[in-house]
């Protein structure tokens, strides 16, 4: 296997990076939306910080896609837009349920973690591997943070 440069990432890896950009944007937008509806300032701050982290991760990945001669995706998926819209409607019709919100956030963290695992499997020996490893560690830490917040919320309620 040859070592790729930033300009010669495989088509398969560029596609995986595009998917990760989209996943990070979806995650960012979901956390921002959730933060806006929270009265709990600690949880609101945590969600806003995660959204900022995901925005930076999308930017990091977009640079690799650009260096490969492709145009990076800069918006989330249609499915995520529909889900957030449905989620907003549900929020208007229900009471503030922090536990349910954190369960959904953890489910989203599972999805983005799986997407990073897929990209890491495709990136061995590539110029993008180091950034993917760093992002994956951050995603795992965020997953664990959300899980811990969820578990703490369940034991209080």
């Amino acid at each position: 296997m040859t070592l790729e440069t930033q300009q010669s990432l495989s088509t398969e890896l560029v596609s995986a990076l595009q998917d990760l950009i989209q996943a990070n944007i979806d995650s960012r937008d979901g956390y921002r939306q959730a933060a806006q509806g929270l009265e709990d300032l600690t949880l609101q701050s945590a969600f806003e910080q995660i959204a900022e982290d995901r925005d930076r991760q999308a930017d990091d990945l977009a640079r690799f896609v650009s260096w490969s001669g492709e145009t990076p995706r800069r918006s989330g998926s249609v499915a995520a837009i529909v889900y957030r819209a449905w989620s907003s409607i549900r929020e208007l019709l229900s009471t503030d349920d922090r536990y349910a919100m954190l369960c959904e956030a953890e489910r989203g963290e599972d999805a983005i973690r799986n997407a990073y695992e897929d990209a890491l499997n495709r990136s061995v020996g590539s110029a993008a591997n180091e950034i993917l490893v760093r992002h994956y560690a951050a995603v795992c830490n965020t997953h664990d943070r959300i899980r811990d917040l969820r578990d703490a919320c369940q034991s209080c309620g």
Side-chain angles (χ1 to χ4, degrees):
M1 176 173 10
T2 61
L3 184 64
E4 296 172 315
T5 65
Q6 291 171 337
Q7 289 79 22
S8 67
L9 296 177
S10 72
T11 303
E12 182 180 289
L13 180 54
V14 170
S15 177
L17 294 177
Q18 292 278 35
D19 290 345
L20 284 177
I21 292 168
Q22 187 170 320
N24 274 285
I25 291 169
D26 289 343
S27 178
R28 175 203 66 197
D29 293 349
Y31 278 112
R32 281 184 181 161
Q33 180 188 24
Q36 290 173 357
L38 287 171
E39 293 179 17
D40 179 328
L41 296 180
T42 302
L43 192 55
Q44 181 184 38
S45 176
F47 281 10
E48 288 170 351
Q49 181 61 53
I50 294 167
E52 289 174 23
D53 293 343
R54 296 294 158 80
D55 198 38
R56 277 191 297 276
Q57 287 174 192
D59 288 344
D60 289 345
L61 298 169
R63 280 190 287 280
F64 279 93
V65 170
S66 292
W67 289 330
S68 295
E70 299 289 326
T71 302
R73 294 183 189 149
R74 296 314 302 171
S75 63
S77 68
V78 173
I81 292 166
V82 171
Y83 175 75
R84 283 192 304 275
W86 177 84
S87 184
S88 292
I89 292 167
R90 184 179 64 176
E91 286 176 31
L92 292 171
L93 299 174
S94 67
T95 61
D96 180 27
D97 187 345
R98 287 183 57 215
Y99 179 74
M101 183 183 303
L102 289 164
C103 286
E104 287 301 309
E106 185 184 18
R107 192 171 67 127
E109 289 304 307
D110 288 339
I112 198 167
R113 185 177 58 190
N114 290 339
Y116 268 96
E117 288 169 356
D118 180 56
L120 279 166
N121 288 331
R122 298 176 190 203
S123 73
V124 175
S126 79
N129 189 260
E130 182 180 328
I131 194 77
L132 290 173
V133 167
R134 194 170 21 150
H135 285 190
Y136 180 70
V139 165
C140 288
N141 286 336
T142 298
H143 173 275
D144 293 349
R145 181 178 179 194
I146 294 296
R147 181 203 58 219
D148 293 348
L149 286 167
R150 182 210 59 204
D151 291 349
C153 183
Q154 183 181 28
S155 66
C156 293

